[in-house]
Amino acid sequence: MKILSIQSSVAYGHVGNSAAVFPLQRIGVEVMPVYTVCFSNHTGYGSWQGPMLTGDNVRDIVSGIEDRGGLAGVDAVISGYQGGDDIGDAILDAVERVKRHSPDAIYSCDPVLGNATSGCFVAPEVQDLIRDRVVPKADVITPNQFELGFLTGTSPETLDDVLASVDIVRGLGPSTVLVTSVERPDRPEGTIEMLAVSGDEAWIVQTPHLPFKANGSGDVTAALFAAHFRGSGDLANALARTTSSVYGLLETTLRAGAKELQLIEAQEHYAHPEMQFEVRRVR
């Protein structure tokens, strides 16, 4: 499998491509990382150093890959946080180029907009970009519950609400939706869920809710799900493998008392997930 991954990069810690690339490589995926920023660390620290790349920089890199014949045989394009129209347009251009060379390739977009705690933390032009131009071009999207509501103009709470909102967003273009961080009011205390929907299937999985925030875990989740689903076409299996791997990564990080993901230490969880969580069909 070959994936073109257009995301941020940091030297210290693991977010964006610095989170997604190694787990993908560890499960046997050939990854071509294209960076949108090259920062010292993620911006959650409040200060950082390093350059932002422009949309033209991204286009030049993708064009260079194309010149070498590298866009042939690509199975998926994945993207995460998009800082503005400039980068967003370059990503959409890259998707179009890939699909010309690899018609069966999918585009998997993590529509990073915000979360239930912080609300929407991207600029209004990025909100419009993601909702109106990027999501309709995606084959797979991986929003959290808040982002799903934002994209659809709904406030999903119950499982039926979430499923209805997924149907709305699928009507915009993407055929497959992974909803991360589902927190419905009737779930058992101390748990959290993920829901995957594609075709006429909908599957949900529940895990313990680990009591900490780990920047980059969503990037790992989106990358692994895209790879597993593109590779197998088995929605339930892709959800189960992704959930087990990411839970193992988070548990390893929590046990270490670390602020940054213990991405290397948890590598066996990607290669050999324990499959310890039941995936239940809900549609």
Side-chain angles (χ1 to χ4, degrees), residues 40-109:
S40 55
N41 51 269
H42 70 71
T43 58
Y45 283 98
S47 64
W48 62 92
Q49 297 188 48
M52 296 180 64
L53 280 74
T54 67
D56 285 340
N57 294 146
V58 171
R59 283 189 183 88
D60 287 345
I61 294 167
V62 174
S63 179
I65 296 171
E66 184 176 34
D67 290 344
R68 305 284 79 77
L71 299 187
V74 170
D75 294 285
V77 180
I78 62 175
S79 70
Y81 174 76
Q82 299 183 26
D85 286 1
D86 190 28
I87 293 294
D89 286 337
I91 291 172
L92 292 176
D93 180 66
V95 171
E96 185 178 327
R97 287 181 186 230
V98 166
K99 290 194 173 189
R100 282 203 300 265
H101 294 276
S102 305
D104 292 333
I106 64 167
Y107 171 36
S108 182
C109 169

Side-chain angles (χ1 to χ4, degrees), residues 12 27 47 58 66 85 93 117 159 198 200 211 222 239 279:
Y12 175 80
I27 64 171
S47 64
V58 171
E66 184 176 34
D85 286 1
D93 180 66
T117 302
L159 178 57
S198 189
D200 60 356
L239 178 61
V279 175

Side-chain angles (χ1 to χ4, degrees), residues 148-164:
L148 175 65
F150 184 91
L151 290 170
T152 57
T154 61
S155 300
E157 293 187 6
T158 67
L159 178 57
D160 285 343
D161 291 341
V162 175
L163 287 167

Side-chain angles (χ1 to χ4, degrees), residues 192-214:
I192 194 165
E193 295 168 315
M194 286 204 296
L195 173 76
V197 182
S198 189
D200 60 356
E201 295 179 68
W203 299 82
I204 198 165
V205 62
Q206 187 177 95
T207 72
H209 189 182
L210 298 175
F212 77 116
K213 177 185 177 182

